[in-house]
Amino acid sequence: MIKNLVLEIGTEEIPSRFIPDALESLKKNAEDSFKINRIEFKDAKTYATPRRLVLIVTNLSDTQSEQIEEFKGPPLKNSYDENGEPTKAAIGFAKGKGIDVDKLTEIEVNGVKYISAKIVKESKNTLDVLPDILKNLISSLTFPKSMYWESNGVRFARPIRWIVALADEKIIPFTYGKVNSGRKTSGHRFMGKKAIEINNASEFMDVLFDNNVILDQEKRLQKMKSLIANLQKDFEGNLEVEMDPKILEENLYLVEYPVPFAGSFDKKYLEIPEEVLTTSMKKNQKYLAVRNKDKAGKLANYFVGVSNNMVPDVNVIREGNERVLRARLEDAAFFWEEDRKIPLASYVDRLKSVTYQEKLGSVYDKVMLTRKLAAWLCEKYNFNDIASLVDRAAYLSKADLVTNMVFEFTDLQGVMGREYAKTSGEDPRVSLALYEQYLPQTAADKTPTDDVGAILGIAERVHIITACHKVNLEPTGTQDPYALRRAARCINEILFARKYNFNIAELISESCKINEVNDEVKNKIFEFVRQRLLGQLKEKGFDHSLAVLGISVIGDVPYQALKLIETLNNVKNNEWFTNLINSAVRVKNILQKSSGGTEKSINESLFTTEAEKNLFAEVSRLDEPVNKALEVYDWEELTKMLSELSPVISKFFDEVMVMDKDENIRNNRLALLSQCNKLFREVGDLSVLS
């Protein structure tokens, strides 16, 4: 048994954002590869620092497990003649499988005997197989961006400088690019030895730790958090570090040994909008913000950074970082002052010189078309009281894109629109809308809190989807450069959260009219949006068939599709609902197989049983109220009526033979079922739930 296997890919610093996915991929690929190669093992774990990706596998079998494959050949009766000699069929089958014909055996499948070939795959020593496995594991890793180095055409996130490949004390020999595997690794860039020889894989992590590399990222994270907590004790006042998970993860993969430090900046910068400060600290410098618990969590003039070097005087690191941050905050303060010298509305005309997309014109053109669609939404759905606010917000919606601040800090679009609108004296709801138009930005993000921003956000996203489809920029496969899938998803999330009964088909039609889009493209957009809705409903945990049913009934109004599915989901396990679905299936099947009678009018005098009379009465009674419930989206009332219909139609099938010998009675019953089916179609094809 091989107790410990280590593969270390030593590199130049890999970007921190690449590492989490690389770790997951390395682990999965390793497990799959060992399984395919029939090598048993206990567990496989992956670790990383900016300079190394590591796989450690324990308790590997010394040899591949035996594998016997059995192949079914021709029928036995065709494989041997009357003298028991193999026929051409048997000889050809044996030759094709690479075995002697006398090694063929028999198997029986479904009562028929066949000849078969059993092939035992050779079991190699694990040490002989590992070189190819490990080399392939390295080449299988992909990154958002890879680079070539030297001249051998090998790609990786960053140049590979060394490879450790050990099975206990033995080197697993292979070459990747021009780097030979071996037992030499490197310690911390500043606090460790440059070249370290690993005698046995079991000592690998300890040797690295002795050279100031905490390889295990979970232990490195705990170390980082513990040291930050110690720093926090030294702050003046009731302050706490904002332990932002994203910033912690970035720092985790920027260092091999975390050395947190605290710094501060001039309080005058706190007059700048908070998001400007946190963006500068987090995105550019990877700092953790510090907040004042006594002031409702407002930003304090401190920050915490994480160094990768334990220097004798930490003040040197602190002062250097304070100097860098001060320069950035000075720039932000300058932009803040300069941008506010003119009102936000003065920036709108500048959008004419900013291209949105070469086939779609400028950002100004996009704003004006979105404005038209937003105005239509307000009129259509009776938002007349805020129509002027929506129009103003739409007009100003992209003005901040041409400000100095957003040009420098692009992540602040919307945030600066809100802040500059406030200082320009715009209505507070307009100011808020300039920020909330971008919500939600991710699946779990918050949605707009006010109608002005919500309507603007929906209008813009529908316009983008329409305009991009118009010029053939719709998503293809994994490519979605204009984030149309996300736009469609966000539209639905806003509709759900704000409980808007917007008809998305009518909204798309109006957008197509504004953008002069033909019917073929319009229908393509309908299907695109409907597929996004189906996916979202399934993500919420609803069965595929239930989601399909809801969309077939009221898919043009996504919020009501959600409410209908929620209502049906609550009753789907009730006995009456199961019986109703079974009845709906029987109705559909009988009508599909029948040759006539379904279009005839119902003659009550031909009813011969109480079950027929009761079903006719119930279907007739429910026709108008069911349509009314569908019209006003009263799904509770609809399910109540369906629950009343269920036992009546079940009794009909229990007591009545539809296909009666008498043609008139048979056709009358088929006509009755046709009326039932019409009612079922109004509430969706329930048979899809069977």
Side-chain angles (χ1 to χ4, degrees):
M1 177 182 290
I2 300 170
K3 293 182 179 179
N4 294 282
L5 167 70
V6 168
L7 170 66
E8 180 190 37
I9 311 164
T11 68
E12 297 295 335
E13 275 80 356
I14 298 173
S16 60
R17 71 182 188 278
F18 292 4
I19 294 178
D21 287 345
L23 282 175
E24 186 177 333
S25 180
L26 179 58
K27 178 178 173 64
K28 184 181 185 304
N29 292 350
E31 291 173 342
D32 291 347
S33 186
F34 287 129
K35 183 177 180 181
I36 290 169
N37 282 280
R38 312 188 322 272
I39 298 173
E40 296 178 1
F41 63 97
K42 183 179 180 182
D43 61 23
K45 294 181 179 180
T46 51
Y47 306 96
T49 75
R51 298 180 68 210
R52 65 199 82 221
L53 294 171
V54 176
L55 168 71
I56 296 181
V57 187
T58 59
N59 296 352
L60 292 89
S61 58
D62 286 325
T63 59
Q64 295 176 305
S65 59
E66 186 180 71
Q67 183 178 25
I68 300 176
E69 290 185 296
E70 185 168 17
F71 299 92
K72 185 181 73 152
L76 182 64
K77 64 181 181 181
N78 299 333
S79 300
Y80 298 95
D81 60 22
E82 62 274 9
N83 298 319
E85 295 297 320
T87 63
K88 288 183 178 179
I91 295 169
F93 174 67
K95 185 178 180 181
K97 298 305 175 186
I99 65 172
D100 294 334
V101 72
D102 59 357
K103 296 289 180 64
L104 294 174
T105 56
E106 297 177 15
I107 57 169
E108 186 173 313
V109 180
N110 297 326
V112 179
K113 291 185 177 180
Y114 298 86
I115 59 171
S116 71
K118 289 184 179 180
I119 300 175
V120 179
K121 283 199 170 183
E122 180 187 0
S123 294
K124 296 180 180 178
N125 289 329
T126 299
L127 288 174
D128 295 333
V129 181
L130 281 175
D132 284 339
I133 292 178
L134 299 189
K135 183 176 180 178
N136 290 334
L137 284 179
I138 299 175
S139 63
S140 71
L141 292 176
T142 58
F143 304 90
K145 289 183 179 180
S146 295
M147 61 182 294
Y148 295 102
W149 69 96
E150 298 176 349
S151 58
N152 53 25
V154 175
R155 290 170 62 95
F156 207 71
R158 290 295 182 269
I160 296 175
R161 297 306 187 203
W162 74 88
I163 297 172
V164 172
L166 293 176
D168 292 330
E169 75 285 353
K170 295 177 182 177
I171 293 174
I172 303 165
F174 64 91
T175 301
Y176 189 78
K178 292 183 179 179
V179 181
N180 296 322
S181 63
R183 61 174 74 250
K184 286 187 178 180
T185 185
S186 180
H188 192 283
R189 188 180 288 278
F190 308 113
M191 302 183 294
K193 296 178 181 178
K194 302 303 179 189
I196 310 161
E197 196 163 283
I198 307 296
N199 296 315
N200 192 297
S202 62
E203 66 183 34
F204 178 73
M205 292 185 78
D206 290 336
V207 170
L208 284 182
F209 186 79
D210 291 341
N211 282 269
N212 294 302
V213 175
I214 304 176
L215 181 62
D216 188 327
Q217 53 269 13
E218 291 302 320
K219 292 180 179 178
R220 198 161 69 247
L221 179 62
Q222 292 308 314
K223 176 79 170 178
M224 187 191 304
K225 288 181 175 179
S226 174
L227 293 172
I228 290 172
N230 289 336
L231 281 177
Q232 195 166 275
K233 298 173 185 177
D234 298 330
F235 290 140
E236 295 179 6
N238 192 14
L239 308 182
E240 69 175 353
V241 180
E242 183 182 66
M243 304 295 270
D244 185 322
K246 290 183 180 178
I247 301 302
L248 285 172
E249 183 175 84
E250 278 199 81
N251 278 292
L252 177 65
Y253 293 118
L254 285 172
V255 302
E256 296 198 306
Y257 190 98
V259 183
F261 61 91
S264 64
F265 54 87
D266 197 307
K267 287 185 178 180
K268 69 179 183 180
Y269 297 120
L270 294 175
E271 297 174 9
I272 303 173
E274 183 180 293
E275 290 93 340
V276 176
L277 302 180
T278 55
T279 297
S280 185
M281 286 193 289
K282 292 179 179 181
K283 183 170 183 180
N284 299 116
Q285 305 305 126
K286 319 304 179 193
Y287 296 153
L288 295 161
V290 178
R291 297 190 176 276
N292 194 324
K293 294 167 72 175
D294 291 335
K295 295 183 179 180
K298 285 191 174 181
L299 200 66
N301 63 318
Y302 292 94
F303 65 90
V304 170
V306 182
S307 172
N308 189 37
N309 192 7
M310 191 182 297
V311 297
D313 186 1
V314 74
N315 288 326
V316 175
I317 293 178
R318 175 182 56 78
E319 289 170 4
N321 280 269
E322 286 179 344
R323 207 162 39 243
V324 172
L325 181 60
R326 188 184 310 119
R328 288 196 169 276
L329 296 185
E330 273 299 312
D331 287 344
F334 173 76
F335 297 147
W336 174 241
E337 290 300 322
E338 284 295 304
D339 289 341
R340 291 185 299 150
K341 287 181 178 179
I342 59 175
L344 181 62
S346 299
Y347 290 98
V348 174
D349 268 355
R350 299 185 189 182
L351 296 173
K352 293 177 181 177
S353 61
V354 180
T355 301
Y356 170 59
Q357 204 281 333
E358 59 182 10
K359 295 180 182 178
L360 296 174
S362 68
V363 174
Y364 180 88
D365 297 329
K366 173 173 170 280
V367 165
M368 294 302 115
L369 293 172
T370 297
R371 197 177 172 193
K372 284 185 181 180
L373 190 58
W376 179 87
L377 266 175
C378 289
E379 182 179 357
K380 174 72 176 179
Y381 293 101
N382 199 27
F383 287 100
N384 299 320
D385 57 328
I386 61 168
S388 61
L389 298 178
V390 172
D391 183 69
R392 184 63 174 173
Y395 178 73
L396 297 173
S397 59
K398 306 304 170 191
D400 66 339
L401 297 184
V402 286
T403 62
N404 292 300
M405 188 75 81
V406 176
F407 182 81
E408 180 68 21
F409 303 105
T410 55
D411 287 356
L412 292 176
Q413 65 176 5
V415 171
M416 299 319 300
R418 178 192 66 199
E419 296 303 320
Y420 291 144
K422 287 179 182 178
T423 61
S424 298
E426 298 290 344
D427 186 286
R429 294 180 75 180
V430 171
S431 301
L432 180 62
L434 298 185
Y435 169 69
E436 292 197 333
Q437 65 176 310
Y438 293 104
L439 301 181
Q441 294 184 352
T442 61
D445 197 11
K446 57 189 176 182
T447 52
T449 61
D450 186 73
D451 289 328
V452 180
I455 292 171
L456 174 57
I458 291 171
E460 186 195 11
R461 291 176 175 95
V462 170
H463 168 73
I464 291 171
I465 291 170
T466 305
C468 286
H469 275 81
K470 176 183 178 180
V471 294
N472 299 315
L473 294 175
E474 63 266 30
T476 55
T478 59
Q479 302 300 311
D480 188 8
Y482 290 88
L484 303 191
R485 294 188 183 103
R486 184 175 68 186
R489 180 187 191 91
C490 290
I491 291 168
N492 291 328
E493 291 299 338
I494 296 171
L495 295 176
F496 296 158
R498 301 299 299 169
K499 302 180 180 179
Y500 290 154
N501 290 328
F502 290 1
N503 187 307
I504 198 70
E506 292 179 357
L507 180 54
I508 290 170
S509 294
E510 182 62 24
S511 183
C512 288
K513 180 180 175 183
I514 291 171
N515 286 277
E516 300 179 348
V517 171
N518 63 43
D519 287 345
E520 182 182 351
V521 175
K522 180 171 68 175
N523 291 331
K524 189 186 293 186
I525 297 171
F526 286 159
E527 181 59 24
F528 170 76
V529 171
R530 186 161 286 215
Q531 286 302 315
R532 303 285 79 70
L533 176 60
L534 176 63
Q536 280 173 266
L537 292 172
K538 289 165 64 176
E539 286 173 14
K540 289 182 181 293
F542 299 117
D543 295 337
H544 173 81
S545 56
L546 203 58
V548 169
L549 176 64
I551 290 175
S552 71
V553 176
I554 193 71
D556 288 343
V557 185
Y559 173 63
Q560 290 304 329
L562 172 65
K563 299 310 292 181
L564 171 58
I565 292 170
E566 287 177 343
T567 305
L568 294 178
N569 194 59
N570 290 335
V571 301
K572 70 177 183 179
N573 294 322
N574 291 356
E575 185 178 0
W576 71 261
F577 192 67
T578 303
N579 292 338
L580 184 68
I581 292 169
N582 292 335
S583 297
V585 172
R586 293 186 70 179
V587 168
K588 186 176 180 179
N589 290 341
I590 290 172
L591 292 178
Q592 285 177 341
K593 294 176 182 178
S594 65
S595 57
T598 59
E599 302 302 322
K600 295 182 179 295
S601 59
I602 297 171
N603 186 348
E604 294 182 62
S605 66
L606 291 174
F607 290 150
T608 61
T609 66
E610 287 298 314
E612 287 175 281
K613 296 175 184 177
N614 291 339
L615 180 58
F616 176 67
E618 189 68 6
V619 171
S620 301
R621 178 183 74 84
L622 292 178
D623 185 49
E624 186 176 337
V626 161
N627 278 287
K628 181 66 176 176
L630 289 166
E631 184 180 331
V632 299
Y633 310 139
D634 191 343
W635 310 122
E636 294 292 341
E637 181 63 22
L638 178 66
T639 52
K640 177 177 176 292
M641 288 185 283
L642 292 177
S643 70
E644 294 167 356
L645 172 64
S646 181
V648 180
I649 193 169
S650 291
K651 190 170 184 181
F652 172 86
F653 280 118
D654 288 342
E655 299 182 3
V656 176
M657 175 66 71
V658 176
M659 307 308 286
D660 194 88
K661 293 180 180 179
D662 187 306
E663 183 180 356
N664 291 327
I665 292 176
R666 179 172 68 248
N667 287 339
N668 199 52
R669 289 172 179 171
L670 288 171
L672 175 57
L673 291 187
S674 183
Q675 188 169 333
C676 289
N677 197 47
K678 178 175 175 291
L679 182 66
F680 285 141
R681 285 202 306 270
E682 289 171 354
V683 297
D685 185 1
L686 294 175
S687 65
V688 302
L689 302 179
S690 62

